[in-house]
Amino acid sequence: MSDSDSGTNPNRRDFIKIAGVASAAAGGAGLGMFGYAAGQDPASYLGWQNQEGASLIFERKHYEVDVPTYEKIGPTSRPDARVENIFDRRGSFMRQLRSGGEFEEPLKSYYEKHPEDLELDRLSAEEIIPKRMADEAEYGDRFFLSQAWSDAMGAVGPDPIDSPPEENDFPRDRRGTPIEPVKLKGPEMTARLIKKLAMQFGSTLVGITELNPDWVYAYPLRRRGFENPDEPLEVPEHWKYAIVVGTPMSWDPMYANPNYGTSNDAYSRSRIIATRLEAFIKALGYPARTHIPGNSYDLMVPPIAIDAGLGQQGRHGVLITPELGSNFRPAVVTTNIPMKTDRPIDIGVEDFCKHCKICAEVCPSGSITMEGKVEVRGYRRYAIDTAKCLNFWMSNLGNMGCRLCVSACPYTRKANWLHKSAVRITAADPTGLSDRALTGLQKSFYPGPDPEDYYIPSLGGDNASYREPPWWLRTEDFIDLG
Amino acid sequence: MRAMQIFNSGFFWFIEGILCVVMILGLRAFMRERGIPMPAWKWVVFGVWVLFAGFTIAFVGTSLGEGEPTAATRGGLLFGLIAVIGGAGAWRALVSGRDPGERAQVTDS
C-alpha cells in the first residue's frame, strides 16, 4: 500500500518508532533462530571436528592450582588390580566358579574381607545374566542397529600390549638393535610437539604430568603380558611421565544410554591415538607404553588425568573436563621423554558435586553414594560400588555398559553458548550460589525416566533410555523386525 | 540445516547489531515524543531487560534445537514470566519522570 493510498505520510519520528518495533521483533526472532541453530550446530559435537586443537575451548590458565584437588589424608597404598579392578575380579570369579571348589588367592582373602561383593558377584552369574539372556530373546531386536554400530566402532583398534615393560617399551629397529634417543631442544618444545602430535592423531584433549606411583597397580592386570601377575608390579624408572589423551563418545547415542550408546567409538579412537603416540615417541628413541581402554592398563587413569590438568573427579568417580564434561574416554602413554608438565586445575567440580548428586539420583543400581567422601587408599573420594555398577551393566540390553552417570552429569553438555556459559559461571563463582541455582534448573529442566525404568522387564523395568536414540539407531525404522 | 548456519555466523551478529541500534533509536524517538527524559540509568535498565528477554528467546531456541522440549517449555515459562514481570517493572521505570509540558518543546533532531 502506497502513502497516497493510505492517505497518511508518516513523519520521520513515526518511521523510526515503527522501525524500532520492527527491529525488536526481527531481533527477537533472530535470537530464537540463533538459539535453534546453536542447539543443532555440528560444531557443538566437540571432539569430532578436526585435528587442530580447536576443542580446547576452555582457558585453563585462570584455574590452575599448585596441588591436585583430590585430598591426601594418610599413608597411601596402590590398588591390587586382581581384586580391586572389577573386571579382573569378575573374570577370575567366573573362571573359578566354573571350575568348582574353593576360591584361590587373592580372591579368597578378598571375599572374606568383602562378603557383600561375593554376594553381588554371585547374583550376577546366577540371576542377572540368565534373566538378561531371556529378555534379550524377547526385546533385544530393538537394539540391533546400535549393537551393529558398536561392533563396527570396536572393530578397529590396535591389540592391547601383551609383553612386560622391559620387552615392550624400549624402541628397537627391525634387527632388534636399541634405537638411540635423539637430542631434543628442551622440555617445553618437546611438550608442544607431543601435544600437537596427539591432536594430529585425533585426540580431543591432551595433558602431561609426572606419574605419581600411587596410581600404578600394585599387582598387574592379567592380560598385560607380565609373566607372573601374582608378583608385585615394580614401577619402572622410565615411567616418569604420563601423557593423557582421549576423545568423547558420540554425543547423540551417549544421551540415549544405557542401551543405545557405546564406549567402543571413543575406546577405538583413544586406542589408536595412544598407540600412534607410543610409536612416535619410540621413533624418537625414547621408551613408551600405552595404557588403553577397554581394560588394558597398568594404572588408574582418572587421577592421572587430574594431575595432567584435564579436569577433576566427580561424585560418580569419572573425570569431569570443562570441555566435554564426563564424556571423555582417556588413554595414557608412559614414557621418560623429557617434557614440561601441565598443572592441575580447579573449575569448581568439588563444590558442585557436593550439592548436585544428579548422577547418584539417576543411577539405577545405587552404585554412586549420596553421602560424603570416604578414605580410599589414603585419599578422600566418593565411594563407588563397582560390583553393583557392573551388575547393572550385565543386566542391560543393547550395548554393553550403562554410562547413565555420564549422560546425566550437568557438565556433559554439547559445546554451545548455553552450556559453556554455565561451566564458566560455576568455575568463576566462589560463593557456590550458581552451583545450587544451576543444579536446581538442571533437575527441573532436564528430567529423565525413573531409575527403575532403566532395568529390563524381567527385573521390573521397561528398557528406558535417558533420551531418545538418534534416528540412525532406530532399528524399527530401517529393518523389518517381523 | 546448512541454511540455519547463517545464524551462527558473524554476519548474523552484524545484522542483529543494526537491528539493536534501530530499536534504540525507536525508543529514543518514542520517549522524546512524550517528553520523557532518558538518563543513563534508564538505558541500563532497558539494556538489562533486552539482554534477559534475548536470553529467554535464545534459551528456548537452543533447547528445541538440542532436542530438549521439556527444557524449552519449562525454561520458556520460567524465564518468560520473569521477562514479562521484569518488563512491566522496567517499563514503569522508563516512563517515570514524564513532563507533559515538555512534549511540545521537543523537536526532531
Side-chain angles (χ1 to χ4, degrees):
Chain A
M1 188 186 290
S2 68
D3 288 340
S4 57
D5 290 339
S6 66
T8 59
N9 188 6
N11 63 25
R12 185 171 166 231
R13 180 175 287 149
D14 286 342
F15 175 77
I16 292 174
K17 278 177 358 198
I18 292 164
V21 172
S23 295
L31 284 175
M33 297 303 281
F34 152 74
Y36 192 76
Q40 294 197 322
D41 188 1
S44 68
Y45 288 68
L46 209 61
W48 293 81
Q49 299 99 332
N50 60 49
Q51 300 170 331
E52 298 299 323
S55 303
L56 287 164
I57 57 171
F58 191 84
E59 181 50 74
R60 281 177 162 69
K61 206 162 183 57
H62 304 309
Y63 302 98
E64 285 180 352
V65 288
D66 292 330
V67 290
T69 46
Y70 49 73
E71 199 183 344
K72 189 174 171 181
I73 53 170
T76 60
S77 60
R78 289 159 51 197
D80 182 346
R82 300 169 302 171
V83 288
E84 291 182 87
N85 179 300
I86 180 68
F87 303 106
D88 224 43
R89 186 182 84 227
R90 196 59 72 81
S92 302
F93 168 81
M94 294 299 277
R95 271 195 304 277
Q96 294 181 33
L97 191 72
R98 274 195 289 269
S99 63
E102 278 207 343
F103 290 115
E104 296 164 9
E105 293 297 348
L107 215 50
K108 189 179 170 193
S109 301
Y110 180 81
Y111 283 142
E112 279 168 10
K113 249 171 139 178
H114 302 278
E116 70 283 0
D117 280 349
L118 177 59
E119 286 302 307
L120 287 165
D121 290 356
R122 276 194 195 286
L123 186 71
S124 172
E126 291 166 4
E127 188 179 341
I128 290 174
I129 293 176
K131 280 189 172 169
R132 199 267 317 279
M133 288 168 81
D135 276 28
E136 191 127 44
E138 198 168 345
Y139 307 101
D141 285 354
R142 184 175 144 193
F143 307 108
F144 181 83
L145 271 188
S146 69
Q147 286 175 309
W149 169 65
S150 177
D151 289 348
M153 291 306 279
V156 180
D159 292 332
I161 282 173
D162 58 1
S163 56
E166 60 274 16
E167 277 177 36
N168 171 84
D169 299 9
F170 292 91
R172 292 173 195 282
D173 64 18
R174 285 180 190 164
R175 291 182 202 150
T177 314
I179 300 174
E180 283 297 308
V182 296
K183 201 173 167 194
L184 295 158
K185 288 196 169 180
E188 200 160 332
M189 290 298 285
T190 307
R192 189 174 170 219
L193 179 68
I194 291 292
K195 286 182 176 183
K196 172 62 185 166
L197 264 297
M199 293 288 181
Q200 205 63 32
F201 297 147
S203 193
T204 307
L205 305 176
V206 53
I208 300 170
T209 183
E210 281 197 32
L211 179 65
N212 178 347
D214 281 356
W215 312 135
V216 179
Y217 287 138
Y219 292 86
L221 288 174
R222 291 181 192 283
R223 291 182 297 276
R224 291 286 287 178
F226 289 89
E227 204 169 305
N228 184 0
D230 291 322
E231 269 183 19
L233 194 168
E234 294 295 327
V235 183
E237 261 182 43
H238 66 272
W239 290 5
K240 186 172 182 202
Y241 298 101
I243 306 161
V244 186
V245 295
T247 60
M249 296 174 282
S250 299
W251 288 88
D252 288 339
M254 183 274 300
Y255 286 127
N257 280 325
N259 26 37
Y260 287 95
T262 181
S263 300
N264 271 349
D265 54 350
Y267 279 2
S268 168
R269 294 205 308 153
S270 295
R271 279 200 296 263
I272 291 168
I273 295 158
T275 305
R276 283 177 173 161
L277 199 55
E278 181 194 288
F280 179 76
I281 293 168
K282 283 180 171 172
L284 298 181
Y286 291 86
R289 182 177 179 85
T290 56
H291 307 266
I292 56 176
N295 195 27
S296 185
Y297 310 95
D298 299 321
L299 38 75
M300 297 187 296
V301 176
I304 298 173
I306 295 169
D307 293 345
L310 293 186
Q312 293 178 261
Q313 192 165 34
R315 177 177 287 272
H316 51 359
V318 178
L319 179 80
I320 295 178
T321 72
E323 290 88 353
L324 306 162
S326 307
N327 185 16
F328 181 63
R329 309 314 293 256
V332 167
V333 178
T334 45
T335 180
N336 67 1
I337 190 168
M339 289 173 292
K340 186 186 176 207
T341 54
D342 294 302
R343 295 174 70 200
I345 58 170
D346 183 354
I347 54 166
V349 168
E350 291 286 322
D351 288 337
F352 193 90
C353 288
K354 213 180 280 175
H355 306 299
C356 171
K357 301 184 183 177
I358 286 176
C359 56
E361 289 166 8
V362 164
C363 180
S365 60
S367 314
I368 303 170
T369 182
M370 298 285 279
E371 307 298 322
K373 291 183 175 181
V374 294
E375 181 182 346
V376 179
R377 292 183 294 274
Y379 292 91
R380 271 169 58 77
R381 59 161 292 177
Y382 292 109
I384 305 292
D385 194 327
T386 53
K388 280 187 185 172
C389 178
L390 185 59
N391 280 3
F392 181 75
W393 288 33
M394 301 310 291
S395 79
N396 199 31
L397 297 187
N399 291 324
M400 172 74 172
C402 168
R403 303 166 293 268
L404 271 168
C405 54
V406 172
S407 310
C409 175
Y411 282 94
T412 309
R413 291 288 174 263
K414 286 185 285 182
N416 60 44
W417 67 278
L418 182 61
H419 305 304
K420 291 305 125 190
S421 302
V423 170
R424 288 194 169 89
I425 289 168
T426 54
D429 174 16
T431 67
L433 289 173
S434 59
D435 293 352
R436 288 163 197 262
L438 288 168
T439 302
L441 293 180
Q442 176 79 21
K443 288 182 184 181
S444 164
F445 290 178
Y446 302 94
D450 291 332
E452 55 270 24
D453 291 342
Y454 292 113
Y455 276 94
I456 53 175
S458 65
L459 290 170
D462 61 4
N463 292 325
S465 309
Y466 182 66
R467 290 290 180 269
E468 288 297 309
W471 62 269
W472 48 277
L473 289 183
R474 290 180 195 163
T475 307
E476 58 276 18
D477 290 353
F478 295 93
I479 296 173
D480 185 358
L481 297 174
Chain B
M1 184 65 199
R2 203 166 287 173
M4 288 296 284
Q5 289 312 309
I6 194 163
F7 292 101
N8 277 327
S9 66
F11 180 70
F12 165 73
W13 289 108
F14 175 69
I15 298 294
E16 198 75 4
I18 292 173
L19 294 174
C20 206
V21 169
V22 175
M23 189 171 66
I24 288 167
L25 290 175
L27 179 70
R28 197 180 69 155
F30 179 85
M31 293 302 189
R32 282 193 168 184
E33 189 181 66
R34 280 158 182 73
I36 303 170
M38 279 295 284
W41 69 266
K42 285 191 179 180
W43 286 112
V44 172
V45 169
F46 174 70
V48 168
W49 184 81
V50 166
L51 282 177
F52 188 80
F55 163 79
T56 303
I57 296 166
F59 177 90
V60 172
T62 302
S63 299
L64 289 173
E66 283 185 322
E68 295 282 358
T70 308
T73 309
R74 294 183 182 178
L77 285 173
L78 175 68
F79 298 137
L81 190 67
I82 295 171
V84 167
I85 294 170
W91 183 249
R92 288 190 63 162
L94 288 182
V95 297
S96 65
R98 177 176 178 171
D99 179 4
E102 203 178 316
R103 181 174 178 175
Q105 295 164 24
V106 176
T107 56
D108 285 337
S109 55

